[in-house]
Amino acid sequence: MTVDATTLDVSGICAGYGSVPVLHDVSIKVEPGSVVTLIGANGAGKSTLLKVVGGLIQSTGGSVAFNGTDCTRRRPDQMVRAGLGIVPEGRRLFGEMTLRENLELGAYARTDRQNIAHDFERVLGLFPELRDRLSTQAKSFSGGQQQMVAIARALMGAPKLLLLDEPTIGLAPVVVDRVAALIREISELGVDILLIEQNAEVALSIADFGYVLENGRVVMADKAEALLANPQVRLAYLGV
């Protein structure tokens, strides 16, 4: 790792599923201290890019550097141990397990056992609505609460970079606002964030920088506030 290295540097990534290409020469960066969002329609390749970064699928071209280290061919468990946290679309909780068990599972790859109890309390501090339900099975929570559990579980891994895949999908507006506020709060605690969102207005309102992905290619990149004001973006993704 180099001093002040770019947190995530994805360069020229090409990837797909079998013989079906999805991503074409995609390059994005997440700088230290930032929230970066990738917006685009369904099928644009957003989730595929997250899978490449997380080591879930292998690219056919390009490179992925994490904190200045080439991680292009690393396995998912190696990426987690390197400091990557992932909140997948659909949350993917263990429904039969309690909230406490789900959170403890989030720290499975850590070796600093003495700090896990401290982080457990710190994470619960971000989600006070969950504190009194540690013995509740995850499947009993509402959709919004399950999303919070999924984020809390990822934070228990003490990530340097958090990947969020459609964290507001299917949530009521008031819960969307809560999740958006949490994302900014997590960023302010020193965790860099790559946010994949179909809700462009929410994503661009909380991000520092954004990329627009269409048909597996980056077609626009700018500061989030500039994209939010861009007439093309507003027409295509905000319905304005």
Side-chain angles (χ1 to χ4, degrees), residues 1 23 30 35 41 73 97 107 139 148 151 162 176 203 214 218:
M1 175 177 174
L23 300 176
V30 177
V35 177
R73 299 296 173 188
M97 295 172 64
K139 66 181 181 182
M148 294 179 195
I151 295 172
L162 185 63
V176 170
E214 291 183 3
V218 173

Side-chain angles (χ1 to χ4, degrees), residues 5-226:
T6 295
T7 302
L8 180 68
D9 190 349
V10 174
S11 180
I13 283 294
C14 299
Y17 303 93
S19 61
V20 180
V22 175
L23 300 176
H24 311 278
D25 193 27
V26 172
S27 297
I28 70 167
K29 290 186 178 183
V30 177
E31 298 293 349
S34 68
V35 177
V36 174
T37 188
L38 186 65
I39 64 173
N42 278 337
K46 304 186 302 295
S47 294
T48 300
L49 181 60
L50 252 65
K51 290 176 182 176
V52 171
V53 172
L56 294 167
I57 65 174
Q58 293 295 317
S59 61
T60 56
S63 63
V64 175
F66 182 35
N67 284 328
T69 300
D70 185 0
C71 297
T72 309
R73 299 296 173 188
R74 287 195 178 181
R75 302 187 309 269
D77 62 302
Q78 293 174 318
M79 293 302 294
V80 170
R81 288 181 171 84
L84 187 70
I86 304 177
V87 180
E89 182 180 356
R91 300 178 281 272
R92 308 289 181 86
L93 299 177
F94 294 92
E96 301 295 329
M97 295 172 64
T98 66
L99 166 59
R100 180 183 292 277
E101 289 168 337
N102 270 275
L103 295 187
E104 289 174 344
L105 188 62
Y108 83 96
R110 294 176 61 176
T111 56
D112 57 332
R113 311 309 296 180
Q114 68 276 14
N115 294 323
I116 291 178
H118 173 269
D119 286 347
F120 189 87
E121 288 300 316
R122 183 174 64 91
V123 167
L124 285 179
L126 289 170
F127 305 90
E129 55 268 82
L130 300 179
R131 181 177 289 276
D132 294 333
R133 304 190 65 185
L134 289 172
S135 298
T136 302
Q137 288 183 315
K139 66 181 181 182
S140 300
F141 288 98
S142 67
Q145 291 169 333
Q146 287 187 11
Q147 187 63 66
M148 294 179 195
V149 175
I151 295 172
R153 181 180 62 183
L155 290 175
M156 282 300 298
K160 302 179 182 71
L161 173 65
L162 185 63
L163 308 183
L164 296 168
D165 194 353
E166 303 284 7
T168 71
I169 192 168
L171 302 183
V174 66
V175 184
V176 170
D177 291 343
R178 172 77 172 109
V179 171
L182 277 168
I183 291 171
R184 284 307 317 181
E185 188 173 357
I186 291 167
S187 173
E188 290 164 4
L189 291 174
V191 181
D192 299 329
I193 294 173
L194 177 58
L195 169 65
I196 306 302
E197 256 297 338
Q198 201 170 347
N199 189 329
E201 185 170 12
V202 170
L204 293 172
S205 69
I206 59 179
D208 301 299
F209 197 89
Y211 295 87
V212 180
L213 196 66
E214 291 183 3
N215 299 317
R217 300 180 188 275
V218 173
V219 297
M220 204 176 300
D222 207 336
K223 292 181 178 179
E225 59 185 12

